[in-house]
Each structure stands twice: as C-alpha cells, then as structure tokens.
Amino acid sequence: MNPLNWLTIISYICVFLGIFSALVIAADLFHYPQKMKVMNIVWPINGLYLGPIGIWAYWKVGRVKKDTHHGRSSKKEDPMHEDKPFWQSVFISTSHCSGGCTLGDAFGAPLVFLTGWTILGSTLFTHYTVEFILAYVFGVFFQVFSIVPMSRKMGNKMGWGKGFVEAVKADTLSLIAFEIGMFGWMAIVHFFLFSKTPEPNTMVYWFMMQIAMILGAATSFPANWFLVKKGIKHAM
C-alpha cells in the first residue's frame, strides 16, 4: 500500500481517537464538574490531541473525586491548596495553557485556509501570525478565568482588570514556549516531510496538528515549571 494511504488511515484513527477521548472526558465532567470552571473546557480540549493519554491524565490528576457516601468532593475547597505533587500542579498548568493555545490554533488554521490570506507571500508565516494571535487571546482568556476566581476564593478582591494583567504575566512565556514546539513541527512538515503540505481540509493535516500540540505542550512544560516555581503562575 502507498505510504500516503497508510498515513491517511493512521490520521483518521488518531483524529477520531482524539474526538472520542474528548467526548469521554466531557461526559465525565458533566457528572463531576471541576471547581475551576474553565477546566471543564480545558480537559476535553486536551483529549483532542492527547487521545487516550488525555483520558488517563484527566483521571490521574484532574478528575474531581466524589465521596459516594456523603455526595461531597473529597478534595479541599480551595483548589490552589490541594495536596498533590509539584509535577502534577505543573502538568495541570501546562494543560491549561495548552488548551487555550490549541483552541486558538484550531480556529486559526481553517481561517487562513478559507480566506486564502498570505503575509509576505508565505502561507506558513500567515499561519504562524494568525494562530499566535488567536492562541494568545484564548490563552489569556483562560488565564483570567482561572486567576480571578482562585484569588477570590482565597479572600482577595481581585478585579477583572488586574486579573487581565496577571494573566498576561502568567501566560506570555508559557505560550511562547508552546508555540516554539508547535511552530517548529509545522516548519518540519512544511519544508521536509511532504512535497505538498497537507491542508486543513484533510485528516493528515489534523494528525500533524495533534503532533504539533503534543510537542508544544512538551516545550511549554519547563516554562510552566519555572513560572509556578517563581510564583508568577499559581500552582493548580
């Protein structure tokens, strides 16, 4: 069989596994919603590119466990002070950042494709520009809706304006680190792996994007470790 046909089959399998994983996580969240509401969006998004590993990660470090005898959460009321290993807090912070970036990139790619926009005659550079802007917007949005509620639960009367400033401080480095991994893979796909670069109307493109998201999360993890360790970003 032609290698491209094999790649198409693998792409369909991986993309549909991602969709299935997102639906499994979303179904569980319907019964066991997160205390931090924005994570009800983040975890299914992570399932889209991590697939079954996303389900495992959600069950391992993200799922709110209920006390079946009393119908109450077994976790502490303050989500910022849950007793969990540091790496898990960093992983959740990375997932949070990756969720916003992934959503921005998922909107940006079809937008560039459907409009035919080019910047400096380069489709790849256009993807970089549009997807970075949208990823930054969604990333900051996700941060604002985690920072402000968490701060208020701790008794701090943080306004949305200050929350926005704190979100920019917390998300900028981690988002840039994410895009380095993602854009690096996109460049490899564009210049080296294909004679004709896959487009967003093909499953191969979205499989390549799944890989890009995984690499973005990997390059973002050290940045989130640094931000959480320094107290610039709250442990989650």
Side-chain angles (χ1 to χ4, degrees):
M1 185 181 288
N2 189 308
L4 287 179
N5 291 337
W6 274 112
L7 180 59
T8 300
I9 292 170
I10 293 170
S11 298
Y12 269 94
I13 292 171
C14 290
V15 171
F16 279 108
L17 272 175
I19 295 170
F20 173 76
S21 300
L23 292 174
V24 168
I25 295 171
D28 190 74
L29 286 166
F30 181 79
H31 297 287
Y32 303 100
Q34 299 278 297
K35 290 189 180 74
M36 192 186 304
K37 292 182 180 180
V38 72
M39 294 305 293
N40 293 315
I41 303 172
V42 169
W43 284 114
I45 291 174
N46 288 327
L48 286 173
Y49 66 89
L50 290 174
I53 296 174
I55 297 176
W56 175 84
Y58 165 69
W59 245 260
K60 179 73 175 176
V61 303
R63 190 171 188 258
V64 174
K65 298 175 178 62
K66 297 285 185 176
D67 184 333
T68 55
H69 296 291
H70 302 287
R72 294 181 180 178
S73 171
S74 63
K75 292 187 176 182
K76 297 179 182 179
E77 288 301 314
D78 182 357
M80 294 184 65
H81 293 133
E82 290 173 7
D83 185 18
K84 63 166 65 76
F86 183 73
W87 73 266
Q88 290 188 8
S89 295
V90 175
F91 178 84
I92 295 173
S93 293
T94 303
S95 297
H96 184 270
C97 169
S98 301
C101 292
T102 299
L103 197 58
D105 295 326
F107 275 98
L111 181 63
V112 173
F113 174 72
L114 292 173
T115 59
W117 289 342
T118 58
I119 297 175
L120 301 177
S122 170
T123 303
L124 181 63
F125 187 68
T126 308
H127 276 282
Y128 283 176
T129 304
V130 173
E131 290 168 28
F132 182 87
I133 292 171
L134 289 176
Y136 197 83
V137 169
F138 280 109
V140 171
F141 176 84
F142 278 15
Q143 281 295 335
V144 169
F145 280 88
S146 63
I147 290 173
V148 174
M150 282 196 298
S151 297
R152 289 181 177 179
K153 282 188 177 183
M154 294 180 68
N156 300 324
K157 295 182 179 179
M158 179 180 286
W160 293 103
K162 184 178 180 182
F164 174 79
V165 173
E166 293 299 316
V168 170
K169 288 164 56 178
D171 205 53
T172 299
L173 178 61
S174 59
L175 183 138
I176 291 172
F178 182 96
E179 299 296 351
I180 286 172
M182 179 189 159
F183 287 170
W185 176 251
M186 288 174 67
I188 291 172
V189 169
H190 185 84
F191 291 112
F192 301 108
L193 294 186
F194 298 91
S195 56
K196 184 178 185 302
T197 307
E199 295 183 331
N201 61 345
T202 67
M203 281 294 176
V204 173
Y205 177 88
W206 292 108
F207 175 48
M208 294 298 106
M209 289 298 284
Q210 283 181 316
I211 298 173
M213 302 304 173
I214 292 170
L215 293 174
T219 54
S220 179
F221 187 86
N224 279 281
W225 186 289
F226 169 79
L227 291 167
V228 174
K229 197 76 173 176
K230 292 296 183 180
I232 300 171
K233 200 171 189 176
H234 290 303
M236 298 176 68

